[in-house]
Amino acid sequence: MPNGLTYLSLRCVLEYLDALKRIPITLRSRVLQRIDTRIPLRVKNIDIHNRQVIIDNKSLQPNRFWKMTDDEVELEERRRAEIIKKLFVYYLKGKSDIHVDKVLFNGVKNLENVQVKMSMTVNKLSAHLCNIADFDIVISLKSPLKELYLTNQVIILDHPIVHTARSLILKSNKRGIRLPGIEKLPNKNILVHECSNIEILVLRIINYWIENGKEVGTEYLFQLHCNTLSSILQRFLGRFNEFQNKLEEVDDHFHPKAPRFLIPINGTSLRIQVYGRVNREDSKLVLSVVEV
C-alpha cells in the first residue's frame, strides 16, 4: 500500500485546487482539516451581493422566488440573507490567506453583520452602490490594489483603499458623478466616466497641480462625447492660450480640431499636457504630467 502524501505535497495540492472542490474534500478528511486554514486559498472571482455570494461564477445560494407570494418572498429573502452570511463566514473565515484576482461588492448593505474579517491579497476590487468605508469591516488588504473600480453617484475618495490603488476607475450610477477632493488624490492613473460639471472639475485639478505639483507619469482620463471634448478644449483657450502646444513628442490619437496645451507647474521643470484623445471606441480628455 503506497504511503500517504507528505505535508508539502498536500499543501501544494490544496493551495492550487479549485476553491469549490477544496471545501467538500477537506470536510471528508480530519488530516486536511487540520492544515486547511494554514494554506492560502486561491480564488479567481468572489462576487458579494446583498443576498448571494458567488465564488468562481458559482452561486452559493439560488435566488428564485417566481412561485411565491409577495409575503413569502419577503420572508424567504430574509431567511436567505441569513444563510448567505453563514455561507460567507463558513467558506472564508479562518483562512490564513486568501488570494483573489477580482472581488466585487454589489449593493451590499450591513456589512457589520458578516462578523468576520478576512486577510486578502486582491488584484482588482469593484464596488457598485456601496460605501468604500465599510470594507474595512470585512477585508484587510495585504497589498495595494492593481485596480479599484467604484460606481456611485457620490464616491468617497478620502480613504486608504482609494489612495493606494495603482489604477482608479470612477463611474456614476446616475446622470453624473460627484468627486469632491479628486484633485488632491495621490493616485497616478485615474479614469472617470460620466462626471458632473466636468469642465469645472478639470480646471480645478489643473489649477491645483500648478500650485502644488504632481508626480511625473500621472495620467487622468475623462471619458466624454467627442463634441463635448472639443468644446471644452476650445473654451480652455480663454485661460491657457499662451500655453498652446502641438505636443509633437506625444504619440497619441489627438482630436483633430481641438487645441492642445503644455502648462507649467510652478517652480519646477514639470508640465501638464492637456489634450483630447480620439479613437474608434471613445474619446477622452487627457491630463498627464511630464518633465521637460
Side-chain angles (χ1 to χ4, degrees):
M1 183 174 180
N3 295 327
L5 293 175
T6 64
Y7 169 75
L8 291 176
S9 298
L10 286 172
R11 180 183 177 90
C12 183
V13 171
L14 279 184
E15 182 172 348
Y16 293 96
L17 190 65
D18 180 270
L20 293 178
K21 292 179 180 178
R22 171 173 163 175
I23 293 166
I25 289 174
T26 54
L27 287 175
R28 295 186 177 97
S29 169
R30 291 183 180 180
V31 175
L32 294 181
Q33 288 173 32
R34 288 199 296 267
I35 67 173
D36 181 54
T37 57
R38 302 196 300 271
I39 299 175
L41 177 67
R42 296 185 180 272
V43 183
K44 293 179 181 178
N45 303 291
I46 298 179
D47 294 355
I48 304 167
H49 301 264
N50 203 31
R51 294 188 182 90
Q52 71 174 338
V53 176
I54 301 173
I55 295 181
D56 285 347
N57 301 318
K58 183 174 181 180
S59 175
L60 302 186
Q61 178 63 38
N63 195 19
R64 298 177 181 176
F65 310 116
W66 57 279
K67 287 187 177 181
M68 298 181 182
T69 65
D70 290 343
D71 289 340
E72 288 174 330
V73 167
E74 184 177 353
L75 288 172
E76 183 68 3
E77 284 185 334
R78 285 203 297 267
R79 184 184 72 82
R80 293 189 179 194
E82 291 300 318
I83 291 174
I84 288 307
K85 292 172 190 174
K86 293 178 181 178
L87 282 169
F88 187 72
V89 172
Y90 176 75
Y91 272 75
L92 303 176
K93 186 178 182 180
K95 297 293 187 293
S96 61
D97 198 5
I98 303 173
H99 295 260
V100 190
D101 185 38
K102 297 179 183 178
V103 175
L104 164 68
F105 285 87
N106 187 5
V108 181
K109 301 176 182 178
N110 300 320
L111 280 176
E112 64 273 11
N113 293 330
V114 172
Q115 297 180 350
V116 60
K117 188 163 185 175
M118 297 164 293
S119 174
M120 283 190 176
T121 300
V122 180
N123 289 330
K124 299 177 182 179
L125 174 63
S126 297
H128 301 292
L129 307 180
C130 300
N131 186 345
I132 189 77
D134 291 341
F135 292 173
D136 286 341
I137 298 171
V138 295
I139 290 183
S140 175
L141 295 174
K142 299 191 70 175
S143 60
L145 296 165
K146 291 182 180 179
E147 180 180 288
L148 176 60
Y149 191 152
L150 301 177
T151 303
N152 216 328
Q153 189 174 11
V154 179
I155 292 176
I156 296 174
L157 296 177
D158 188 16
H159 192 278
I161 291 179
V162 177
H163 291 178
T164 58
R166 297 178 189 174
S167 179
L168 185 59
I169 301 172
L170 308 173
K171 189 173 183 179
S172 173
N173 64 307
K174 293 187 177 180
R175 180 170 296 178
I177 193 174
R178 297 194 294 277
L179 301 170
I182 187 175
E183 70 278 5
K184 299 178 182 179
L185 286 178
N187 307 73
K188 291 182 65 174
N189 295 284
I190 296 181
L191 171 60
V192 179
H193 298 265
E194 305 170 32
C195 182
S196 299
N197 301 316
I198 180 66
E199 185 172 347
I200 295 174
L201 178 65
V202 172
L203 283 173
R204 193 172 79 222
I205 293 171
I206 293 174
N207 290 328
Y208 185 86
W209 289 0
I210 290 173
E211 294 298 323
N212 298 278
K214 190 62 179 174
E215 189 176 353
V216 173
T218 296
E219 184 176 77
Y220 283 19
L221 305 176
F222 299 84
Q223 191 168 45
L224 299 167
H225 187 277
C226 190
N227 292 336
T228 303
L229 173 61
S230 177
S231 297
I232 289 175
L233 290 172
Q234 289 293 342
R235 287 194 291 273
F236 279 4
L237 284 171
R239 291 176 178 265
F240 305 118
N241 183 54
E242 62 181 304
F243 304 121
Q244 274 198 85
N245 191 291
K246 293 183 179 180
L247 303 181
E248 294 177 345
E249 72 282 3
V250 179
D251 183 16
D252 210 339
H253 298 282
F254 294 120
H255 191 299
K257 298 181 180 180
R260 309 162 205 161
F261 306 91
L262 189 63
I263 304 170
I265 293 177
N266 289 347
T268 72
S269 60
L270 305 184
R271 299 291 185 270
I272 307 169
Q273 296 175 340
V274 183
Y275 63 91
R277 174 185 296 166
V278 179
N279 53 44
R280 293 181 179 179
E281 290 76 27
D282 55 26
S283 55
K284 296 182 180 74
L285 193 155
V286 180
L287 304 181
S288 64
V289 178
V290 298
E291 187 169 15
V292 297

